[in-house]
Amino acid sequence: WDSRSPDHCSWFGVSCCGSAGTLNAPTIRSGSCTLPGGVAGLDLPSNNLTGAWPAAALAGLSNSLVYLNLRGNNLRGRLPESIGDLRQLVVLYIDDAGLSGALPAALGRLTKITQLSAAGNQFSGALPSSMAELQQLRRLTVSSNALTGEFPASLLALPQLLQLDVSSNQLSGQLPIEAPAGVNSSNASLLGALTGTRNEMLAINSSRNHVSGALPAWLASFPVILLDVSYNDLSGSLPAAALGSNIVMQELLLTGNSITGSFSADMLRCAPVLDRDA
């Protein structure tokens, strides 16, 4: 940064909170900010940044930072627990940033976050269970890492979630037979789910993992517009009759599994894109 300029709000990649409580960078959409004059956005993608996570530099922004974009840099090491101190954070982009190790449980303290994208790193271990507390989360992308553990079904109960992408990891275990807590499993309440606890439809991508077992029937009553579970270890019979009643599903991708059965006429009418092994 140009230390010759006394106005840090004019520095490259820095956005400050205006007097109206909005960022002074119209290209950054992250909602309102709370500290006028404070640094509210750091937009530094693909800047050849190196070294460990800048915990010390970010520590002073815990009350102001709402947007952080460090994707496409060459950082190293872990995402530290101190990430949870950025309590105002709404958007966090750290895709392809060179990070590794386990994702910290402190992510669950980011209660205002709506978008979290951490694809293309070397994160390992299970997704922290604390992420099920992120009630404002709308988009979570952690694809192309080395994550293990079971499919994070508890996240499906998050009321604002629109997109969950955990593809190209090493997730295992089975999809839960029972609907996750907070997910209404009654076929008759599918449209009610869109106006009740969940008001928008969800896209789920869990392709290229090691998830096993059968497709659960409760998916028929879940407002999922896209379900991609291709190239896993799924088996059993396709619950065609149940899935045929899901009137919002547009894409169902099952290629690369051992699922038996055929798509029903109702499924063919409801979902324009259906794909599975012949």
Side-chain angles (χ1 to χ4, degrees):
W1 281 304
D2 185 4
S3 58
R4 295 170 298 178
S5 173
D7 181 13
H8 59 271
C9 296
S10 68
W11 294 352
F12 174 80
V14 176
S15 300
C16 289
C17 185
S19 57
T22 57
L23 268 71
N24 60 6
T27 57
I28 296 178
R29 298 179 180 179
S30 59
S32 61
C33 46
T34 58
L35 189 63
V39 174
L42 291 178
D43 193 20
L44 299 168
S46 304
N47 269 272
N48 295 314
L49 299 178
T50 60
W53 180 262
L58 295 174
L61 305 179
S62 60
N63 293 321
S64 63
L65 195 66
V66 299
Y67 179 97
L68 179 59
N69 183 358
L70 295 179
R71 60 175 29 141
N73 283 291
N74 300 304
L75 304 176
R76 57 177 173 79
R78 294 173 175 263
L79 183 66
E81 291 286 335
S82 60
I83 187 68
D85 296 334
L86 301 176
R87 299 294 186 91
Q88 303 301 321
L89 205 60
V90 176
V91 176
L92 175 61
Y93 295 142
I94 50 173
D95 316 75
D96 302 303
L99 297 168
S100 59
L103 287 167
L107 286 171
R109 302 208 307 266
L110 302 179
T111 56
K112 295 186 178 182
I113 200 159
T114 64
Q115 298 184 53
L116 198 169
S117 191
N121 288 286
Q122 301 175 50
F123 290 123
S124 57
L127 282 171
S129 59
S130 60
M131 295 184 71
E133 303 297 321
L134 301 178
Q135 297 295 302
Q136 303 303 314
L137 188 63
R138 296 175 68 82
R139 291 180 173 83
L140 174 63
T141 303
V142 289
S143 56
S144 301
N145 281 285
L147 296 172
T148 56
E150 296 188 350
F151 175 81
S154 61
L155 297 181
L156 299 182
L158 292 175
Q160 303 298 323
L161 194 65
L162 297 176
Q163 176 183 327
L164 175 63
D165 188 348
V166 293
S167 61
S168 299
N169 280 286
Q170 300 171 30
L171 301 180
S172 58
Q174 298 186 2
L175 294 173
I177 297 175
E178 301 294 331
V183 173
N184 194 325
S185 59
S186 169
N187 280 341
S189 65
L190 177 56
L191 291 179
L194 295 175
T195 57
T197 57
R198 173 175 295 283
N199 54 22
E200 296 184 82
M201 293 176 285
L202 174 63
I204 303 172
N205 188 346
S206 184
S207 62
R208 300 186 184 278
N209 281 285
H210 303 290
V211 179
S212 59
L215 283 177
W218 58 262
L219 285 171
S221 60
F222 193 66
V224 55
I225 191 170
L226 178 149
L227 177 62
D228 185 352
V229 287
S230 57
Y231 301 101
N232 277 276
D233 299 323
L234 295 169
S235 59
S237 299
L238 179 70
L243 290 174
S245 65
N246 191 320
I247 60 175
V248 300
M249 185 177 290
Q250 298 293 306
E251 296 186 51
L252 176 61
L253 307 178
L254 304 174
T255 298
N257 290 286
S258 300
I259 298 172
T260 60
S262 301
F263 294 128
S264 67
D266 286 337
M267 290 181 68
L268 294 171
R269 281 194 298 269
C270 292
V273 179
L274 295 171
D275 184 27
R276 56 156 293 179
D277 296 319

